[in-house]
Amino acid sequence: MILIIERFTVDAPPAARGWIDILVLIPALLYLPLLLVNRNWLISRIGLPIYTAGLFLFGVLGIGSSVINLFSMGPGFQTSCFICGLIALGYLGKTKIKYLVWRIRKAATS
C-alpha cells in the first residue's frame, strides 16, 4: 500500500514510476503461490519456498533501488522503496532466510 500511495502522490520521472509499478506487482504475484497452497492446488514444499524467495528478492530490490537512486526517483520514492524492502526482509526474519539458503544449497547439490 505504501508503494501504491507513493506512485500516485509523488511527481517523479516516468522511468521511476514504471519501477514502482514493477515493485507493486511483485508482492501481488507472490500471493498467487500462497493462494494455490491454501486451496491445495500446490504443495507447500514448492509454494512456500517460491513465496519466500520472491519476498527476499522484493526486499533486496527495494533496498537496492533506493540506495543507488534508480531512475533518479527522488527522496520520496527512495524512502518508500527502502522502507518496503526493510519490511519485507524483516518479515522474513533470520529463520526463513536461513531456510531459503538451505533449500537453494540442497537443490544445487542434487
Side-chain angles (χ1 to χ4, degrees):
M1 292 308 296
I2 294 169
L3 291 175
I4 292 172
I5 292 169
E6 283 291 323
R7 167 66 168 88
F8 292 108
T9 59
V10 174
D11 185 29
R17 288 193 307 263
W19 177 246
I20 293 295
D21 292 342
I22 291 170
L23 284 179
V24 168
L25 285 175
I26 292 172
L29 293 174
L30 286 178
Y31 282 105
L32 183 63
L34 291 182
L35 290 173
L36 296 175
V37 167
N38 287 340
R39 294 180 184 250
N40 293 326
W41 292 347
L42 183 66
I43 55 176
S44 62
R45 68 184 173 116
I46 295 172
L48 296 179
I50 291 171
Y51 172 77
T52 304
L55 194 58
F56 178 77
L57 178 66
F58 171 76
V60 169
L61 287 176
I63 292 172
S65 65
S66 70
V67 170
I68 64 171
N69 194 11
L70 190 64
F71 303 117
S72 301
M73 62 177 70
F77 273 171
Q78 277 184 284
T79 304
S80 297
C81 288
F82 189 80
I83 289 172
C84 289
L86 282 180
I87 290 170
L89 293 179
Y91 174 76
L92 285 177
K94 186 177 176 181
T95 307
K96 289 184 182 176
I97 292 174
K98 280 185 178 181
Y99 173 75
L100 176 63
V101 170
W102 176 77
R103 293 285 297 189
I104 291 171
R105 285 183 181 166
K106 185 178 176 184
T109 58
S110 60

